[in-house]
Amino acid sequence: SVAILAAHAKFQVHDLELFELIDRSVDVAKTNSHGPALIGRLLRAIGSLGTPLPSLLRLVAASMSSQKDRHRPLPGLASDLLACALLDFQQIPEDMTQRLFRSVRELYDSETHFETAVGNKPAVELTAAARAWSDKVHDDNAVWVADWASEVTSKLGSSKQHVLEPAPPAGLLREVIASLRRFPLSADFEISIGQPKGTGFCSDLTLLPVSDGTPLALEVDGPQRS
């Protein structure tokens, strides 16, 4: 089931009937048979698909609860929290989300060289997830994670930050740019690719006015786009 969902997530194929069939077949009682790596992979696949599957998410929550005393690396915690945010925290137990943020802070407190070892990708993922959760619930650990991770990403500069959403396929992007250049007003704009629009996010395309005016960010829809 994990492999099937992960493959669908990779190519952004949304087969809701299949997902619901997999979800109905889950035995939540068998939590001990799933290791942390497999559970994390499952959660990230569901998050990438943006489809809250209640039985599978109960399995994830139960497994993480039984493994709560095990040491978990920061990249896994960051990716798990981002997956929860991509689901808008639907069907995610509040105590599970709070425990994940608390684990990040405890990891920081327990490791002397933690800050210098934090990678670009986890810092951006934590910033996005902590801000999304803080908009819903007052959580001191999430506020701390948001402030700390934002400081880490700001030191990187926008040009070096990890981008959470992959760029559109090159062929699709070329088609959209060619279409834009056929518009009568296209001479009034320059087309730019991948302009940073906040921590972890870039516009697919940006129309930059040749003279005065407001830049316009464009998101490209099509195959392999969530």
Side-chain angles (χ1 to χ4, degrees), residues 2-3 5-6 9 31 34-48 56-57 59-65 67 70 72-73 75-84 86-87 92 96 100 121 125:
V2 176
L5 290 170
T31 57
H34 306 288
L38 186 66
I39 287 296
R41 189 180 173 207
L42 174 60
L43 175 59
R44 292 189 284 276
I46 298 171
S48 181
L56 283 168
L57 289 172
L59 174 66
V60 168
S63 295
M64 286 191 172
S65 178
Q67 299 161 5
R70 298 182 187 178
R72 298 197 58 213
L77 290 170
S79 294
D80 289 349
L81 281 165
L82 180 64
C84 294
L86 290 173
L87 292 167
I92 307 286
M96 171 181 146
L100 288 170
K121 182 173 179 284
E125 290 177 337

Side-chain angles (χ1 to χ4, degrees), residues 96-153:
M96 171 181 146
T97 305
Q98 291 174 330
R99 188 167 59 247
L100 288 170
F101 280 115
R102 186 168 61 248
S103 295
V104 174
R105 191 167 186 176
E106 289 173 350
L107 199 58
Y108 174 89
D109 291 338
S110 66
E111 297 193 12
T112 307
H113 302 291
F114 179 79
E115 188 156 358
T116 57
V118 174
N120 183 350
K121 182 173 179 284
V124 171
E125 290 177 337
L126 286 171
T127 301
R131 286 176 176 172
W133 181 241
S134 297
D135 286 343
K136 292 181 174 294
V137 175
H138 178 72
D139 183 333
D140 289 338
N141 288 314
V143 171
W144 180 89
V145 169
D147 292 342
W148 166 75
S150 296
E151 183 179 346
V152 173
T153 57

Side-chain angles (χ1 to χ4, degrees), residues 185-192 206-216:
L185 298 177
S186 62
D188 297 334
F189 294 90
E190 293 180 358
I191 301 174
S192 176
T206 303
L207 301 183
L208 303 171
V210 174
S211 55
D212 293 335
T214 303
L216 178 64

Side-chain angles (χ1 to χ4, degrees), residues 4 18 24 41 55-56 58 74-75 81 83 86 92 94 104 111 142 159 174 183-184 186 196 215:
I4 293 171
L18 174 62
R24 288 196 299 269
R41 189 180 173 207
S55 296
L56 283 168
R58 283 197 297 271
L74 182 70
L81 281 165
L86 290 173
I92 307 286
E94 184 173 322
V104 174
E111 297 193 12
S159 62
R174 285 194 296 271
F183 278 98
S186 62

